[in-house]
């Protein structure tokens, strides 16, 4: 999505909501792309690293979360730079990208407005239906790019389709193909730029064509 606009993840400050396996895997992948993951959250609250969560810090978090029942709050004992539940509202932290990996309907109208007010330009769902339907309309009005779960969570299906010997380049190519198809479908059905609509119609057509 960013490359389509001549941009990249390099140097982008990324707010991650959640601290499960998906959220931590997202943080790891962001580091590979030169982005700066700055937060993780769970039932105990949220951790904010102003200068970013480094590979070493992420290893520490993985060790903590790997223990049964362990909560993210324990991480502050291991970091001299982390802020725990400061600010009180995680969404008040300025960011370029927000990646919610938590519960459905995590981000409502007020949440996405707050994110936009604090500079967020892209929301990518790392969990199913994290953005409410009414919040999706706000994102469009505010000019915030939105990657719906119907597109972003296609990873497992891609891996299964390509097989166990697929390379990162294979995955990258397939992701680019799916994005192009969804974008084209949205345009074809008078929903230009609406990837949520494009993904839904594209999925429906794919099933219909197999019937």
């Amino acid at each position: 999505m960013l490359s389509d606009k001549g941009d990249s993840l390099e140097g982008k400050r990324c707010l991650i909501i959640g601290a499960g396996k998906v959220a931590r895997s997202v943080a790891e992948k962001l580091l590979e792309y030169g982005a700066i993951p700055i937060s993780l959250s769970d039932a105990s609250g949220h951790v904010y690293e102003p200068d970013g969560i480094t590979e070493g810090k992420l290893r520490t978090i993985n060790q903590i979360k790997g223990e049964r029942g362990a909560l993210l709050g324990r991480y502050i004992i291991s970091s001299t730079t982390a802020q725990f539940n400061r600010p009180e509202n995680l969404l008040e932290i300025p960011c370029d990208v927000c990646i919610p990996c938590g519960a459905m309907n995590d981000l409502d109208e007020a949440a996405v407005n707050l994110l936009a007010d604090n500079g967020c330009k892209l929301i990518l769902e790392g969990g199913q239906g994290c953005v409410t339907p009414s919040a999706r309309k706000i994102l469009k009005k505010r000019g915030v790019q939105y990657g719906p779960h119907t597109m972003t969570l296609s990873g497992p299906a891609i891996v299964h389709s390509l097989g166990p010997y697929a390379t990162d380049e294979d995955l990258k190519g397939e992701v680019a193909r799916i994005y192009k198809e969804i974008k084209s479908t949205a345009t074809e059905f008078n929903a230009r730029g609406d990837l949520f609509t494009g993904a839904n119609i594209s999925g429906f057509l794919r099933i219909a064509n197999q019937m």
Side-chain angles (χ1 to χ4, degrees):
M1 292 174 66
L2 289 173
S3 61
D4 199 29
K5 293 182 176 295
D7 203 351
S8 73
L9 280 168
E10 184 77 32
K12 295 289 188 296
R13 293 175 61 81
C14 301
L15 195 74
I16 301 174
I17 302 174
K21 289 182 180 179
V22 171
R24 287 178 278 129
S25 294
V26 165
E28 182 179 354
K29 186 58 69 174
L30 286 172
L31 289 169
E32 291 180 18
Y33 280 96
I36 307 169
I38 57 175
S39 73
L40 288 167
S41 65
D42 67 7
S44 66
H46 62 265
V47 165
Y48 168 43
E49 284 281 9
D51 295 325
I53 298 172
T54 63
E55 290 183 9
K57 292 174 180 178
L58 185 57
R59 279 196 298 271
T60 300
I61 291 171
N62 282 333
Q63 290 172 356
I64 292 171
K65 295 298 292 183
E67 297 179 21
R68 180 174 295 184
L71 294 174
L72 193 58
R74 282 179 49 188
Y75 170 70
I76 59 171
I77 301 173
S78 308
S79 174
T80 58
T81 56
Q83 297 180 22
F84 185 63
N85 289 340
R86 300 201 328 267
E88 185 175 345
N89 188 339
L90 172 64
L91 305 182
E92 291 179 359
I93 299 172
C95 67
D96 301 300
V97 180
C98 175
I99 308 176
C101 302
M104 292 180 68
N105 301 322
D106 240 2
L107 299 181
D108 57 13
E109 293 181 47
V112 298
N113 268 318
L114 186 55
L115 283 166
D117 289 342
N118 284 292
C120 183
K121 300 297 183 185
L122 170 63
I123 293 179
L124 293 169
E125 286 184 320
Q128 186 171 353
C130 295
V131 180
T132 66
S134 57
R136 289 200 296 269
K137 296 178 182 178
I138 298 296
L139 292 177
K140 191 171 184 178
K141 290 180 181 177
R142 297 293 301 265
V144 178
Q145 284 186 281
Y146 169 53
H149 73 271
T150 43
M151 179 180 73
T152 59
L153 298 186
S154 59
I158 293 174
V159 172
H160 177 75
S161 175
L162 292 176
Y165 303 109
T167 65
D168 282 348
E169 284 303 310
D170 293 332
L171 294 172
K172 184 177 179 180
E174 191 65 9
V175 167
R177 182 194 65 77
I178 290 173
Y179 170 70
K180 184 178 179 180
E181 178 184 321
I182 289 172
K183 180 184 175 184
S184 175
T185 301
T187 301
E188 180 182 351
F189 286 86
N190 298 317
R192 185 181 181 87
D194 187 340
L195 299 180
F196 180 81
T197 297
N200 285 343
I201 294 176
S202 181
F204 173 81
L205 291 175
R206 187 177 293 274
I207 293 173
N209 288 335
Q210 297 298 318
M211 296 178 68

